[in-house]
Amino acid sequence: MNLAGRTILVTGGARGIGRELTRQLVERGAQVVAVGRDYGQLAALEAEHRGRVHPWTVDLANPDAVDAFIGEVTDRHPALSVVINNAGVQTLTDFLGADPHSLRPAVRREVAVNLDAVIALSTGLLPHLRRQPSAAIVNVSTGLALAPKQSAPVYCATKAGVRTFTRALRYQCQDAAPDVRVIDAVMALVDTDMTHGRGRGKISASQAAAAVLDGMRRGGDEIYVGRTKLLRTIMRLSPTLGYRVLRNG
């Protein structure tokens, strides 16, 4: 897939991996519709890439805001042909050590951003994408969708849901809209604000973004980033080992 000249939507486009995706897509000749909650960060990104980045402030946890965005974005950007659902939030939750009621707002936000918004954007923009000569939906999951860690059960569950949804949507597109590729980008542990102070062996956001874009260029249905290639092999050979390795990850 040649990314030059395309209009590409990136959620979470002003921070972490999303910011690097935006920057590298611009370097590769694309126009980027960058979606995020923080107007200031989006404005700074627009100023940095004048005329190439088109910011859009959307709270992906708000279904009404997501629906309104879906209804407007293709009117403003009729050449949109790639959607990268990158935005995600993770809350460390101990349901036995804390009051589940007090955790519920954060948990619901995780589900809304990580899963509901991905489904809404993928399916809501699909009628437009299937009219393009070639198009793609890239949903960012994680190695934790293969083997969860105990400290973030809802995050892991939503990413497992994204992975399963992506595969099933791919089946539908292969049968009825073969010009729309549906790709699962399985992310490794990346050094971002979300992982600050946690984990070892992180890759940079720049490396993560480059791996996703290189995978899109090469083709294929799944992009395994960093150590997730090894995790995929472990889960095939010994799922018990994979679960043990990631349990306290």
Side-chain angles (χ1 to χ4, degrees), residues 11-64:
T11 66
R15 299 179 62 186
I17 299 168
R19 183 180 181 87
E20 280 298 319
L21 284 168
T22 297
R23 182 183 67 78
Q24 293 182 32
L25 282 167
V26 168
E27 287 181 350
R28 297 183 188 215
Q31 298 278 327
V32 179
V33 180
V35 173
R37 277 198 308 156
D38 191 313
Y39 173 79
Q41 290 179 336
L42 289 170
L45 192 65
E46 180 187 25
E48 183 180 346
H49 304 286
R50 184 68 65 184
R52 304 297 296 278
V53 172
H54 311 279
W56 208 308
T57 306
V58 183
D59 182 359
L60 295 177
N62 182 339
D64 292 335

Side-chain angles (χ1 to χ4, degrees), residues 128-151:
H128 170 82
L129 295 175
R130 71 184 303 185
R131 292 194 293 269
Q132 307 306 306
S134 71
I137 297 169
V138 183
N139 293 332
V140 177
S141 66
T142 166
L144 294 173
L146 306 179
K149 64 177 182 178
Q150 66 173 334
S151 60

Side-chain angles (χ1 to χ4, degrees), residues 10-25 32 35 45 84-88 138 140-142 155 159 185-195 203-213 225:
V10 179
T11 66
R15 299 179 62 186
I17 299 168
R19 183 180 181 87
E20 280 298 319
L21 284 168
T22 297
R23 182 183 67 78
Q24 293 182 32
L25 282 167
V32 179
V35 173
L45 192 65
I84 303 179
N85 284 305
N86 159 77
V138 183
V140 177
S141 66
T142 166
Y155 176 81
K159 289 300 186 177
V186 188
M187 195 56 62
L189 184 61
V190 182
D191 188 11
T192 63
D193 291 346
M194 188 174 74
T195 66
I203 65 173
S204 69
S206 176
Q207 290 172 308
V212 172
L213 299 184
V225 178

